[in-house]
Amino acid sequence: TIVGQRVARIRELACPAQQVVVMETGYPNGPVARGYSAEAQAEFLAEAWASSRDAGASGFMPFGIVDGGDAEPEFTPRDQANLATLGAGLRAGDLGTLAALFLGDPEWVATRLPELTQLVEGNWGVVRPDGTPLPAGLVVQGIAAEPAG
């Protein structure tokens, strides 16, 4: 995964003789309406840890531990169009597309985008609020049980 590739690159360029610990990586388990799931979160963490370990990482910490719950925002057609534009601009590194969005719909960027971002933030945990593990929590338990070194 990209996480393991970055570990390898850091070890190669910056600190070949030092330990590297992956901090704050992860994948949200929701909102489901945007295509995220608890299963995809677990798969990402398992693959990210395996590739990081194989690249020489000595530790791994997911972005969030306790999940915020099942917040599922309602995405309006305006949200969907603007998020698609934002994603396309970011993936392509196209500042013109991003500027057109920010200048063309500044109210949405200033108010709705942060609101949607906060709704996703609550979906990064690997343990439910009641303490039971999500599938990714079981992956993290497995990582923690691996022998050191």
Side-chain angles (χ1 to χ4, degrees):
T1 67
I2 186 79
V3 180
Q5 293 169 3
R6 289 183 177 162
V7 168
R9 191 75 172 145
I10 288 167
R11 288 183 53 85
E12 173 190 333
L13 295 176
C15 52
Q18 300 296 317
Q19 293 185 357
V20 174
V21 176
V22 176
M23 300 291 294
E24 293 196 6
T25 192
Y27 187 91
N29 56 51
V32 174
R34 295 296 299 161
Y36 299 107
S37 71
E39 294 75 21
Q41 180 189 42
E43 183 179 319
F44 174 86
L45 284 176
E47 291 174 1
W49 166 242
S51 68
S52 297
R53 180 193 58 224
D54 293 348
S58 58
F60 190 84
M61 181 68 186
F63 175 71
I65 300 298
V66 179
D67 196 65
D70 297 325
E72 285 291 330
E74 183 174 322
F75 290 92
T76 66
R78 178 181 175 197
D79 294 336
Q80 292 171 351
N82 284 343
L83 288 169
T85 300
L86 179 63
L90 290 171
R91 279 189 298 278
D94 182 354
L95 295 178
T97 296
L98 296 173
L101 171 62
F102 280 60
L103 295 172
D105 200 345
E107 184 269 334
W108 183 88
V109 171
T111 59
R112 185 67 175 153
L113 180 58
E115 189 178 295
L116 292 172
T117 303
Q118 289 303 308
L119 287 171
V120 173
E121 283 291 318
N123 292 293
W124 288 80
V126 298
V127 177
R128 292 179 186 90
D130 68 5
T132 58
L134 288 155
L138 299 174
V139 170
V140 172
Q141 287 175 351
I143 292 168
E146 287 186 19

